[in-house]
Amino acid sequence: MSKVVQVKTLYHQVADYIKEKIAQGVYRQGDMIPSEAQLIKTLGVGRITVRGGMGILRDEGIIKTVKGKGSFVQVDFQKIRNNREQQEFRKHFMNSTQLRILLEPVIVREVALYSSSEAKTEIERVLYEEQDTPEMFHRAIVNALDNELVDELFVHLSELESDPKETPLRSPSAQKSFLAEAFEQHREICTAIQEGNGEAAFFYMKKHLEYVKSVHLAFFRFL
């Protein structure tokens, strides 16, 4: 299987530029960041691109835009980086994701090939009825394997990946853009399961988990 490469859009490049400035202390919590016009001039991009980048920052909880006034920094990156709970979250999440990448493509292949029509119907139901909680889709696939030991393992992995109780940043699992993309990737996996195509299910699950990993690596850069 070829490795999935995530190409950053111009929107994400604009967002990353501003995040770097915040992380460096150029803009601090409560500061107003440059206007659209200033960013267009500085970065040499169009208005739509700047607005797209700002939308990403709002989705992540990094800035807040006040109509008629401007956009303001919502977070204190220094406090975030000194937060032990955040550091533990990063370590546990990446360890869990590494294990998922090794196991879940194999599991979903088995489910696509050998699970019952009832189990596949349940997976499809969860996909559409629980799309705001993507972990439920993964749990439905694991449940279809009908193996208590594997069930227990994935309950533990879910616990390791739970967001910290108090976090100043909105993690990817709570971001609209991430949830929308994850849902589309889940649909690819579900279609392969319904068709009984084990190799396609394996590929799409691997692709999805690599995407999850890449998004969180970018998120953790600022923790």
Side-chain angles (χ1 to χ4, degrees), residues 67-85:
K67 191 173 182 180
K69 293 186 178 181
S71 296
F72 300 84
V73 180
Q74 291 280 91
V75 295
D76 184 332
F77 271 103
Q78 200 58 44
K79 285 185 179 179
I80 293 171
R81 285 176 167 166
N82 292 331
N83 186 314
R84 185 173 179 179
E85 188 178 11

Side-chain angles (χ1 to χ4, degrees), residues 1-220:
M1 294 291 175
S2 60
K3 187 173 181 180
V4 178
V5 178
Q6 298 296 328
V7 179
K8 287 200 172 185
T9 65
L10 285 174
Y11 294 174
H12 283 90
Q13 291 176 36
V14 169
D16 284 353
Y17 170 82
I18 297 171
K19 282 192 280 190
E20 287 288 357
K21 293 296 183 183
I22 297 172
Q24 292 166 6
V26 176
Y27 310 123
R28 299 180 181 275
Q29 187 176 33
D31 287 352
M32 185 170 69
I33 64 173
S35 66
E36 276 188 7
Q38 290 173 304
L39 289 170
I40 289 168
K41 183 177 180 180
T42 299
L43 300 177
V45 295
R47 187 175 302 277
I48 291 175
T49 300
V50 169
R51 289 181 176 177
M54 299 290 275
I56 290 170
L57 295 173
R58 282 193 294 272
D59 197 19
E60 294 177 352
I62 292 174
I63 66 169
K64 179 180 181 180
T65 300
V66 181
K67 191 173 182 180
K69 293 186 178 181
S71 296
F72 300 84
V73 180
Q74 291 280 91
V75 295
D76 184 332
F77 271 103
Q78 200 58 44
K79 285 185 179 179
I80 293 171
R81 285 176 167 166
N82 292 331
N83 186 314
R84 185 173 179 179
E85 188 178 11
Q86 293 282 354
Q87 305 309 318
E88 287 294 308
F89 171 50
R90 174 171 58 186
K91 181 179 73 174
H92 291 323
F93 191 98
M94 296 313 299
N95 286 341
S96 175
T97 299
Q98 182 181 25
L99 188 54
R100 282 178 178 268
I101 290 171
L102 292 172
L103 297 180
E104 282 198 72
V106 177
I107 290 171
V108 78
R109 179 170 58 196
E110 291 293 302
V111 169
L113 291 173
Y114 304 116
S115 63
S116 66
S117 59
E118 291 79 11
K120 292 181 179 180
T121 297
E122 175 62 11
I123 291 169
E124 187 172 35
R125 183 196 68 78
V126 170
L127 168 68
Y128 289 102
E129 294 186 10
E130 306 284 352
Q131 58 183 281
D132 290 336
T133 51
E135 178 58 24
M136 296 300 295
F137 177 71
H138 291 263
R139 290 291 298 278
I141 292 171
V142 171
N143 289 342
L145 196 63
D146 197 22
N147 185 309
E148 290 183 2
L149 291 177
V150 178
D151 285 345
E152 290 177 7
L153 171 61
F154 275 84
V155 168
H156 180 57
L157 293 181
S158 295
E159 291 171 351
L160 290 177
E161 295 174 2
S162 297
D163 295 344
K165 293 179 181 178
E166 294 184 10
T167 174
L169 289 181
R170 189 176 298 132
S171 71
S173 62
Q175 295 172 20
K176 292 179 181 178
S177 58
F178 173 81
L179 290 172
E181 179 60 29
F183 175 71
E184 291 304 317
Q185 293 178 9
H186 284 175
R187 284 209 305 176
E188 291 179 321
I189 297 166
C190 188
T191 297
I193 292 172
Q194 304 306 315
E195 294 175 349
N197 190 332
E199 291 309 309
F202 182 103
F203 173 78
Y204 286 125
M205 179 62 82
K206 184 77 176 293
K207 169 189 170 185
H208 169 62
L209 293 172
E210 291 287 359
Y211 167 73
V212 172
K213 179 181 177 181
S214 70
V215 168
H216 281 82
L217 279 173
F219 173 71
F220 290 140

